[in-house]
Amino acid sequence: MIFVMEPPAQYNFPYKGPVIEHVLPLKDARAMCRKYGAFAHACSWTKDGKCYIVLPVGGPVKQLAPYRRHEMAHCNGWPASHPQF
Ligand SMILES: [Zn+2]
């Protein structure tokens, strides 16, 4: 079963600033994330109070919402090591 890890409740809410989303074919999403040092299908970073999110189309998980929640949680401060608390 392939799934996107759900963030813990304290990080699982909409980002309070602007969110810039890049929705890209899986290959391009991975390439863009690699540029930012993330070896993953999806990634995110914050800059100047904006949350930047890269989401993959055509990957193992078809829905964008789970990726969006996960990456937005990182913008909200969820550490990359994915603590569940
Ligand atoms: Zn993550």
Side-chain angles (χ1 to χ4, degrees), residues 5 42 70-71 74 78-80 82:
M5 193 190 296
H70 183 112
E71 297 306 330
H74 283 309
W78 192 23
H82 301 121

Side-chain angles (χ1 to χ4, degrees), residues 45-75:
W45 62 93
T46 55
K47 185 168 185 291
D48 300 330
K50 301 187 183 78
C51 171
Y52 292 82
I53 297 180
V54 178
L55 304 173
V57 175
V61 175
K62 303 304 172 199
Q63 307 89 338
L64 289 181
Y67 283 119
R68 188 178 285 123
R69 281 195 301 275
H70 183 112
E71 297 306 330
M72 204 173 276
H74 283 309
C75 284

Side-chain angles (χ1 to χ4, degrees), residues 24-43:
L24 301 170
L26 180 61
K27 184 166 64 70
D28 300 338
R30 290 188 64 86
M32 189 166 185
C33 288
R34 202 156 45 234
K35 274 190 217 165
Y36 288 90
F39 291 84
H41 295 344
C43 59

